[in-house]
Amino acid sequence: MSRPVRDRPRERLASLGPAALSDAELVAILLGSGTRGRPATELAAVLLAELGGVAGIANADVDELARHSGIGAAKASTLVAAFALSSRLSLVHAPVVASSADIAAAAISRIGSVRTEHVLLLILDAARSLRWHFDTMRWQLRWRTTIRVAP
């Protein structure tokens, strides 16, 4: 049985604004549609649960997302693009990085509580404002890894 039109995520977004919607409803809007027998909101809720929430989706790449049932390359690309734009927007109000705590805060806001190792490059301007970040590398930890850095 389908939801009444007024209770669907897109209509709720238009009438109530994004703050009134759950994470699953917002992700469902990005997905656009579900699969046969599985509405977009259910598909979104499963994706959020399997990836560990919004941060997990935000940090996933197209291939990782597309491996989930009901998510093909098009839907995965839409999700990755939406989170990339959000990340770029956060640079408009660039934080000043003056301490190691500021670096940690900047890193955590970009990689969250992911299940993979990341090497994050943070680029600052002369005023120490964060201007760009780039996740240079990420890999699944299966063995103990040691990275040696020459002085």
Side-chain angles (χ1 to χ4, degrees):
M1 186 167 155
S2 67
R3 290 179 162 184
V5 172
R6 72 180 179 281
D7 293 338
R8 293 181 185 164
R10 223 178 336 226
E11 286 71 20
R12 285 176 33 80
L13 177 67
S15 64
L16 302 172
L21 276 68
S22 68
D23 292 344
E25 289 173 313
L26 292 171
V27 171
I29 290 170
L30 292 172
L31 294 176
S33 63
T35 61
R36 187 180 309 250
R38 190 179 229 179
T41 50
E42 183 180 325
L43 189 60
V46 169
L47 192 62
L48 285 161
E50 290 178 356
L51 291 174
V54 174
I57 294 175
N59 291 305
D61 59 25
V62 172
D63 292 334
E64 184 178 356
L65 290 168
R67 285 193 293 267
H68 289 81
S69 177
I71 306 292
K75 289 179 181 179
S77 295
T78 298
L79 289 170
V80 169
F83 283 102
L85 285 171
S86 174
S87 178
R88 290 178 185 181
L89 182 61
S90 71
L91 295 175
V92 171
H93 306 289
V96 173
V97 177
S99 69
S100 58
D102 295 336
I103 293 170
I108 289 169
S109 71
R110 281 149 185 82
I111 60 174
S113 58
V114 296
R115 301 176 307 261
T116 56
E117 283 292 316
H118 289 252
V119 176
L120 191 64
L121 174 64
L122 302 175
I123 299 174
L124 310 177
D125 63 15
R128 295 183 296 181
S129 294
L130 182 61
R131 288 294 156 209
W132 188 252
H133 71 276
F134 182 70
D135 194 350
T136 60
M137 200 182 320
R138 64 182 179 181
W139 60 88
Q140 202 73 26
L141 270 185
R142 292 200 174 105
W143 302 279
R144 183 179 174 138
T145 305
T146 303
I147 300 174
R148 295 174 195 225
V149 179

